[in-house]
Amino acid sequence: MPKILIVGGGYAGFYTAWKLEKSLRKGEAEVTLIDPLPYMTYQPFLPEVAAGAIDPRYATVVHRRHLKTTKLISGRATFINNAEKKVTVTPLVGEPFDVEYDQVVVTAGAVSRTFPIPGVADLAYGMKNIEEAVAVRDRLITNFDKAAGLPKGDPLRERLLTVTVVGGGFAGIEAYGELRSAASALLQTYPEIDFDETKFHLVEAMGRIMPEVSLETSHWVVNRLAERGAPIHLDTQLKSAEGGKIELSNGDTYESDLIVWTAGVMATPTVTRNTDLPIEARGRVTTNASLRVIDADGEVIEGAWSAGDVAAVPDLTGKGVGGFCVPNAQHAVRQAKRLAKNLIAVLRGEDPVDYIHKSLGAVASIGLYDGVFQSGNLAFKGFIAWLMHRGYHGLAMPSWERKWRVIFGWLGNFFLGRDFATISAVQTPRANFEEFASRPRPAAPEVAAAPAVAPAPAVPAAAAAAPTPEVVEAAPAPKRAPRKTAAQRAAEADAKAPEGAETPAE
């Protein structure tokens, strides 16, 4: 059987494996997926996870539950050697090993792209995985707890209640709007904090936000967020965030305890820098429109495929940036489905089909009951667009099992409100146990034995001849004489008596 090896279990990797399972005939091919995580994250839900609108678990799809016949390897692909048709895997536990393949599918996804701005690497949170979204939610709620106990006007209180988001794309705007909405909802349970004390800032280097929508729609979003106490700094760059002190290129400075970075992504470097497959200038695997890997001359490299954020896929609609598909979930899912069909076609001796997808529109949530939708010249704003956002992503979530969990969660929040239970202590789960755990007492120190008396060293002749100071020794304490017996006392009396005298009777 041909061996198909998928590197990466995110959008593109999961959907490729999922579709291969449904389309391959029994015994037609063996599919293996490598990923260090046991689940796929549905990234469009991360802003709602950060805002407490969706349970974190419901924004993930567990590999082992939904991939029934795919062999799963928990580990990282540390080198893709296509010349020898093998991938080196470093497992979560144990020594690295090689996995051989006939067809390799590189779908390693992307990570946050940052710049060498002081403080960002040390303090900021990304918005690319479920763990980051949960950490942002817990940080926001914990900061409200801390600020409520400080007096108004305290600089630390102001810092704790200030949120900064960097990046005005869809991810940044959605995160910004959802966090502002979450903070407004928190105020209902924190009477000690006023609305005006919560400060929100979004920093965007370009002169507009959300390039996927019209300029008019983007202006509406800017004004809408400003009305809700969430202004946007356009044509502004972050110069420094060192120590939590924000310095902007427009001269503004303030302190912020929660910084979220959403200013772009890049192909996962741990994969693209450790392979003999062709990589283009931006660090992505080069492919043709049928999602097959190609070299610098455009020649197909047999047995190699790629899709998603890690791949430079030509956009045949002409709408892409630089001629390539933009790195988003919409393309990743559709590319994966086409890749699975093309791979099966090649195995069966058929020709692959080019990937082409014309976007039907863009939809975003900017907080509870507020959103925006754009398709061509048609735009919806406000509550209707928010319903369209939830409807689209609710249906786009893989598997009906996950769809129902998300939908029931939304219904529960509608009647019961957001769930703001924070479990930030989960980051250090053993701290409380360690603090009060009983420990064995230290062993009693051993009594050292008396050292043996060493022989006196020989005295040199010169030292022996020299006069020594007189040493006066203390007189020994008198010893008590032993008690005498009656016979001894009688004998002493006889000795002292004069000759001829009588001795006393005993």
Side-chain angles (χ1 to χ4, degrees):
M1 270 195 306
K3 297 180 179 179
I4 301 173
L5 183 62
I6 302 172
V7 179
Y11 272 119
F14 172 81
Y15 270 96
T16 299
W18 207 28
K19 294 304 177 182
L20 286 173
E21 285 192 353
K22 295 180 179 180
S23 303
L24 285 169
R25 303 187 186 109
K26 186 176 181 181
E28 190 172 11
E30 177 185 281
V31 182
T32 302
L33 186 146
I34 302 171
D35 197 279
L37 296 175
Y39 54 80
M40 180 207 88
T41 300
Y42 191 74
Q43 293 181 359
F45 282 158
L46 293 182
E48 291 195 60
V49 170
I54 292 181
D55 187 289
R57 296 171 300 170
Y58 300 165
T60 64
V61 181
V62 180
H63 292 154
R64 291 189 178 273
R65 175 159 187 170
H66 298 282
L67 298 178
K68 304 297 184 181
T69 61
T70 301
K71 180 182 178 182
L72 301 173
I73 298 177
S74 298
R76 294 184 180 276
T78 50
F79 191 81
I80 301 175
N81 186 347
N82 193 63
E84 300 182 12
K85 299 291 183 181
K86 65 182 181 181
V87 172
T88 301
V89 179
T90 301
L92 300 181
V93 178
E95 297 297 322
F97 58 89
D98 292 335
V99 179
E100 297 181 349
Y101 64 82
D102 298 298
Q103 304 281 338
V104 66
V105 179
V106 183
T107 52
V111 298
S112 296
R113 180 192 63 185
T114 59
F115 306 104
I117 300 172
V120 169
D122 301 319
L123 300 176
Y125 294 90
M127 194 58 71
K128 286 291 294 178
N129 57 56
I130 199 70
E131 294 82 5
E132 291 174 327
V134 172
V136 168
R137 182 199 66 181
D138 289 347
R139 186 65 171 263
L140 179 69
I141 301 170
T142 301
N143 282 359
F144 266 68
D145 287 331
K146 294 177 180 178
L150 296 173
K152 292 185 178 182
D154 189 309
L156 179 56
R157 179 182 172 112
E158 295 179 3
R159 172 184 170 129
L160 291 169
L161 296 176
T162 302
V163 177
T164 301
V165 176
V166 183
F170 260 73
I173 292 297
E174 288 194 300
Y176 191 55
E178 290 289 350
L179 289 173
R180 173 67 268 185
S181 179
S184 298
L186 278 171
L187 290 172
Q188 299 175 16
T189 54
Y190 287 86
E192 307 92 338
I193 302 174
D194 297 329
F195 178 88
D196 292 339
E197 292 185 275
T198 57
K199 306 295 183 181
F200 279 74
H201 301 271
L202 187 139
V203 181
E204 169 54 45
M206 305 297 291
R208 59 163 298 177
I209 61 170
M210 304 171 71
E212 296 87 350
V213 303
S214 68
L215 186 61
E216 180 186 355
T217 302
S218 71
H219 286 166
W220 181 88
V221 173
V222 171
N223 295 331
R224 183 68 168 172
L225 289 171
E227 291 172 1
R228 292 166 46 195
I232 295 177
H233 304 272
L234 297 175
D235 291 314
T236 306
Q237 296 180 3
L238 176 65
K239 294 179 61 178
S240 175
E242 195 166 9
K245 184 178 180 180
I246 304 298
E247 296 181 15
L248 304 180
S249 60
N250 62 8
D252 290 350
T253 61
Y254 59 90
E255 291 196 10
S256 177
D257 197 69
L258 178 54
I259 306 169
V260 181
W261 180 275
T262 64
V265 297
M266 65 179 180
T268 304
T270 53
V271 172
T272 57
R273 294 175 185 173
N274 295 284
T275 180
D276 59 355
L277 293 173
I279 305 297
E280 49 98 64
R282 296 188 62 183
R284 299 173 296 181
V285 180
T286 56
T287 74
N288 61 15
S290 65
L291 305 171
R292 306 186 79 175
V293 178
I294 57 175
D295 60 20
D297 298 324
E299 297 296 324
V300 170
I301 296 178
E302 293 297 331
W305 307 76
S306 187
D309 294 355
V310 77
V313 180
D315 190 339
L316 300 184
T317 67
K319 301 293 185 179
V321 178
F324 298 99
C325 296
V326 296
N328 62 23
Q330 190 173 152
H331 279 302
V333 171
R334 287 170 172 80
Q335 287 172 8
K337 294 177 180 179
R338 171 48 55 194
L339 191 156
K341 292 178 181 179
N342 284 350
L343 181 49
I344 293 173
V346 169
L347 291 178
R348 295 174 182 173
E350 303 171 2
D351 293 330
V353 176
D354 287 346
Y355 169 78
I356 181 170
H357 170 66
K358 184 177 180 180
S359 175
L360 299 177
V363 61
S365 168
I366 57 174
L368 193 62
Y369 308 133
D370 218 353
V372 60
F373 170 81
Q374 181 85 45
S375 179
N377 295 325
L378 180 64
F380 292 95
K381 309 177 186 71
F383 180 71
I384 294 177
W386 176 82
L387 285 178
M388 296 173 72
H389 171 270
R390 286 212 161 176
Y392 172 77
H393 286 296
L395 293 175
M397 186 71 178
S399 84
W400 280 103
E401 176 261 338
R402 241 41 189 171
K403 287 180 174 66
W404 285 120
R405 290 185 187 274
V406 171
I407 293 171
F408 285 142
W410 281 335
L411 290 174
N413 286 347
F414 178 77
F415 291 104
L416 304 175
R418 298 173 189 257
D419 185 356
F420 284 126
T422 175
I423 49 174
S424 57
V426 75
Q427 306 298 328
T428 55
R430 297 190 66 252
N432 188 263
F433 181 83
E434 286 184 299
E435 181 180 357
F436 300 104
S438 297
R439 290 175 170 79
R441 292 183 178 181
E446 297 182 2
V447 179
V453 179
V459 180
T468 56
E470 183 179 355
V471 178
V472 180
E473 295 183 359
K479 295 183 179 180
R480 184 177 179 181
R483 188 174 180 180
K484 298 178 181 179
T485 64
Q488 290 175 330
R489 291 197 298 272
E492 290 181 358
D494 290 341
K496 293 180 180 179
E499 191 175 350
E502 294 181 0
T503 57
E506 291 293 336

